Amino acid sequence: MPKNLTASSSTTASPKSLPLFSRVGTFVLTVGMVLAFFISQLVGVYVAGKLVLPADERTSIGRIFFFGSNDGTVVSLSILIGCVLLVAISVLIIRFKGGSLRQYLALKPFSLSVGIGMLGLLLIFMIASQALTYVLDMTPLVFVDPLYQSVISVWLLVFAMVVVAPIYEEVIFRGILWSAIAERFTAPSYSANYGAIVASIVTSLIFAVIHVQYGIYEISTIVVLALIFCYARIKSGSLLLPIVLHIVNNGAAMWQYIAQAA
């Protein structure tokens, strides 16, 4: 394991500083943020549905969710709404606990050499994943079909799924949750990298499971992808690199989908 792993992990906690969250608090935070993730999506679909859907498709809450969840414009706007809500919640929680946003979310520049190296690792994963998907004859982006066909502008869907979604997903999973879990397992009684390893495994599994629109194969690949994002966070000591890699990954997937759908 690289030497800078310990140094990067120390950006979230050090033996001399008390963790922001207790063990129970970390568990509550994890469950709460996952619930907030789903609730924000529901709120986003409802608000966007009320604004966008035709009158006959928004006569009840059930109809709004039914038609809105398959409408590209509604889903795109709901992602934007969800991003605002989740980032705001994360900021408020850290501020309330007296933490530093820059330190806790690792909002700082990353080394260009580390960035290039992690981009290379991501490209290797993407090529291998694409090859396996082809061999197994899988269609992981089939859920995008109704969204692509109904959105008022493809660029709105691209912006939401490629740029906005990675931002709030990284803030939650490689940001506040990763830091909260890592600092709980950063102590003299543990090995130097234990906190980072535990945080990476736990957040990656949760990140994969919340992608309920995918099947078992896709969820398995998402676990690996999430671990790559965690490794980027550790290597760089910055949340910005995982965000960039996430955008690159989603952008490549969306480009491929649009190229095939055109």
Side-chain angles (χ1 to χ4, degrees):
M1 193 67 69
K3 291 182 180 179
N4 65 342
L5 176 57
T6 304
S8 299
S9 298
S10 65
T11 60
T12 58
S14 67
K16 297 180 180 180
S17 62
L18 293 174
L20 286 189
F21 301 92
S22 64
R23 289 187 182 275
V24 174
T26 301
F27 176 78
V28 172
L29 174 69
T30 302
V31 174
M33 290 305 297
V34 171
L35 289 176
F37 180 87
F38 287 111
I39 292 173
S40 69
Q41 290 184 325
L42 294 176
V43 171
V45 170
Y46 179 78
V47 173
K50 292 288 286 185
L51 296 173
V52 173
L53 292 175
D56 63 323
E57 294 182 359
R58 49 183 168 87
T59 54
S60 68
I61 294 178
R63 290 177 67 82
I64 290 175
F65 286 130
F66 177 79
F67 290 105
S69 60
N70 290 295
D71 185 283
T73 303
V74 172
V75 170
S76 297
L77 294 176
S78 73
I79 291 174
L80 271 64
I81 294 171
C83 180
V84 173
L85 292 175
L86 291 169
V87 171
I89 290 171
S90 300
V91 169
L92 288 174
I93 290 174
I94 295 172
R95 288 295 194 191
F96 177 77
K97 296 295 290 186
S100 165
L101 289 176
R102 185 176 183 276
Q103 178 180 358
Y104 212 73
L105 295 180
L107 301 177
K108 61 180 184 178
F110 56 86
S111 164
L112 180 60
S113 60
V114 172
I116 293 175
M118 290 307 307
L119 180 60
L121 178 61
L122 176 64
L123 291 176
I124 292 173
F125 164 80
M126 290 167 60
I127 293 172
S129 176
Q130 181 59 36
L132 186 58
T133 299
Y134 177 80
V135 170
L136 297 177
D137 193 26
M138 306 294 291
T139 53
L141 292 181
V142 66
F143 75 94
V144 179
D145 288 344
L147 307 181
Y148 179 77
Q149 295 164 5
S150 59
V151 70
I152 58 172
S153 171
V154 173
W155 290 111
L156 174 62
L157 184 64
V158 169
F159 177 69
M161 297 186 70
V162 173
V163 179
V164 179
I167 291 176
Y168 70 77
E169 288 180 350
E170 292 306 311
V171 167
I172 294 174
F173 294 98
R174 261 66 64 181
I176 185 171
L177 292 186
W178 194 94
S179 293
I181 296 171
E183 70 179 1
R184 290 308 317 171
F185 294 92
T186 301
S189 57
Y190 298 108
S191 64
N193 303 325
Y194 190 66
I197 293 172
V198 172
S200 298
I201 293 174
V202 172
T203 57
S204 296
L205 290 175
I206 298 174
F207 178 72
V209 171
I210 65 167
H211 286 79
V212 295
Q213 69 270 35
Y214 292 113
I216 298 298
Y217 164 73
E218 291 84 2
I219 289 178
S220 299
T221 61
I222 291 174
V223 171
V224 179
L225 181 63
L227 288 171
I228 292 175
F229 294 155
C230 288
Y231 187 51
R233 159 77 195 259
I234 294 169
K235 281 281 290 183
S236 65
S238 171
L239 184 65
L240 301 182
L241 181 54
I243 291 176
V244 171
L245 296 179
H246 201 152
I247 289 174
V248 170
N249 178 78
N250 284 20
M254 183 61 72
W255 173 80
Q256 182 181 23
Y257 174 84
I258 292 176
Q260 292 175 346

